[in-house]
Amino acid sequence: MFRTGWGNSRRLSRALTIATAAVVVSFTGTSAAGAVPFTAPVIHTPAGGFEELVVPSSMGPIKVQVQWAARGGSSALYLLDGLRAPADHSQWTTDTDALRQFAGDDVTVVFPVGGHSSFYTDWYRPSSTNGQPTTYKWETFLTRELPDFLAGYGVSRTNNAIVGVSMGGNAAMTLAAHHRDQFRFAGSFSGFLNPAAPMWNQVMRAAMLDEGRFNIDDMWGAAGDPAWSRNDATVQAELLRGLPLYVTSGNGVPGPLDLPSGVGNTINAAGIEAFAVVTASVFRDRTAALGIPARVDFTNGTHTWPYWQQSLTTARPMILDALSASPGILPVAGGR
């Protein structure tokens, strides 16, 4: 396996475990045929530090950035990007202080990289409008391939939390709904939580064509296909019963945190957040009607990272409690 990383050097024993596992990633970035997940036991995760891993998948090698649990604990928090997810890093690591917030906590923070316009779901086929060479299989990756891989580092397959922003918000909720054996907490920040509702097909179609020329019909089929309901957090709300949930959205009204973004970006972010708050309201009403407890917060703000950083700060104690992960002392702002 080829790995690049920041932080402490890895122990020789773990390196030997990795080297003997039947997973090989060549230096050209392609996985070997017949690769399988790790099975060798590891007692504890590495204690602290930031690292970049290359994880084999049905989509090819996927970069995953990881901040290891401060004291080698086994729980994990998955953080999902939005529609513009970059190919080389998670925006959580560059556009928020997520690394700082969890640096002292005994939970491994997992940042999958990529998934541009994917909605972190398993697609029917490759996008037919942009020459996509492979079929997105992000649900398979996040709920099978990645947890199996991380288990080789001592990370639990069953004591995980998942949070996403925008595109990743609905995905976090639906992945948790369909994989209750893996996730113990789910959060959506400005997510679009009711995609099966009328007109959302066209809203998402326009967004995905604009962001990479992706064809939505290749994702979940035409509007009304069962995949739309399966991947709708509001429709699947009953499956979330008993799971700690945190949903937040701005109301589209710009505030001080929007000033660095410029007028043009703020106008766009305000308009997008106006859609998000509608679906968050629908989700709130649906869970209330079902008698399912869910914390839903509405605040001033737009569809941009500074507000999601604030939401993560609010969610952090809830996440640690759900995972029974011991907290650390929050580092001084500005530290890594």
Side-chain angles (χ1 to χ4, degrees):
M1 183 185 69
F2 173 60
R3 297 182 291 130
T4 61
W6 303 340
N8 299 327
S9 299
R10 299 296 148 215
R11 296 187 300 270
L12 177 60
S13 60
R14 187 165 67 81
L16 291 173
T17 299
I18 296 169
T20 56
V23 178
V24 180
V25 179
S26 74
F27 286 96
T28 61
T30 58
S31 60
V36 297
F38 290 114
T39 56
V42 175
I43 297 175
H44 294 294
T45 58
F50 180 89
E51 189 167 3
E52 292 185 341
L53 308 175
V54 178
V55 182
S57 82
S58 62
M59 299 179 285
I62 302 294
K63 180 189 286 189
V64 177
Q65 297 175 301
V66 175
Q67 179 170 267
W68 300 111
R71 291 170 292 285
S74 63
S75 60
L77 164 64
Y78 289 49
L79 292 177
L80 305 182
D81 266 346
L83 196 71
R84 297 179 180 179
D88 61 345
H89 71 281
S90 166
Q91 285 190 268
W92 281 103
T93 66
T94 56
D95 292 34
T96 77
D97 68 349
L99 291 169
R100 182 189 69 84
Q101 284 197 40
F102 288 91
D105 300 332
D106 206 23
V107 58
T108 292
V109 189
V110 180
F111 307 92
V113 175
H116 184 207
S117 287
S118 68
F119 280 81
Y120 293 108
T121 187
D122 283 0
W123 286 42
Y124 281 139
R125 52 191 170 268
S127 175
S128 57
T129 49
N130 61 1
Q132 186 180 22
T134 59
T135 303
Y136 274 148
K137 293 293 180 182
W138 277 96
E139 179 173 353
T140 296
F141 180 69
L142 294 168
T143 63
R144 188 184 311 164
E145 295 164 340
L146 180 55
D148 284 352
F149 185 91
L150 292 174
Y153 291 83
V155 177
S156 173
R157 292 182 176 90
T158 60
N159 192 28
N160 304 155
I162 187 166
V163 171
V165 301
S166 191
M167 169 188 83
N170 183 71
M173 305 300 278
T174 57
L175 289 170
H178 293 298
H179 300 275
R180 290 294 300 273
D181 58 335
Q182 179 178 359
F183 297 109
R184 297 178 180 269
F185 177 94
S188 168
F189 304 163
S190 303
F192 306 116
L193 300 180
N194 193 202
M199 297 305 298
W200 268 99
N201 176 282
Q202 295 307 312
V203 172
M204 292 169 59
R205 180 184 301 277
M208 291 168 66
L209 282 172
D210 180 66
E211 193 54 50
R213 296 183 59 247
F214 286 89
N215 184 356
I216 198 170
D217 294 335
D218 297 318
M219 181 170 72
W220 295 333
D225 186 287
W228 281 85
S229 292
R230 185 188 183 278
N231 290 283
D232 185 303
T234 300
V235 173
Q236 301 300 327
E238 179 59 43
L239 298 181
L240 294 167
R241 186 181 296 277
L243 192 72
L245 305 171
Y246 181 48
V247 172
T248 183
S249 177
N251 56 12
V253 177
L257 295 179
D258 291 286
L259 293 177
S261 301
V263 175
N265 288 336
T266 297
I267 291 173
N268 290 336
I272 295 171
E273 197 70 353
F275 283 109
V277 72
V278 170
T279 65
S281 299
V282 172
F283 180 84
R284 176 200 59 192
D285 294 346
R286 173 65 174 163
T287 53
L290 292 172
I292 297 173
R295 177 170 173 176
V296 182
D297 290 348
F298 299 118
T299 64
N300 289 337
T302 66
H303 203 77
T304 191
W305 285 99
Y307 295 103
W308 301 331
Q309 175 174 295
Q310 284 189 337
S311 296
L312 187 64
T313 301
T314 302
R316 176 175 163 264
M318 292 184 266
I319 293 167
L320 297 177
D321 183 63
L323 299 177
S324 298
S326 60
I329 298 173
L330 194 63
V332 176
R336 180 107 188 179

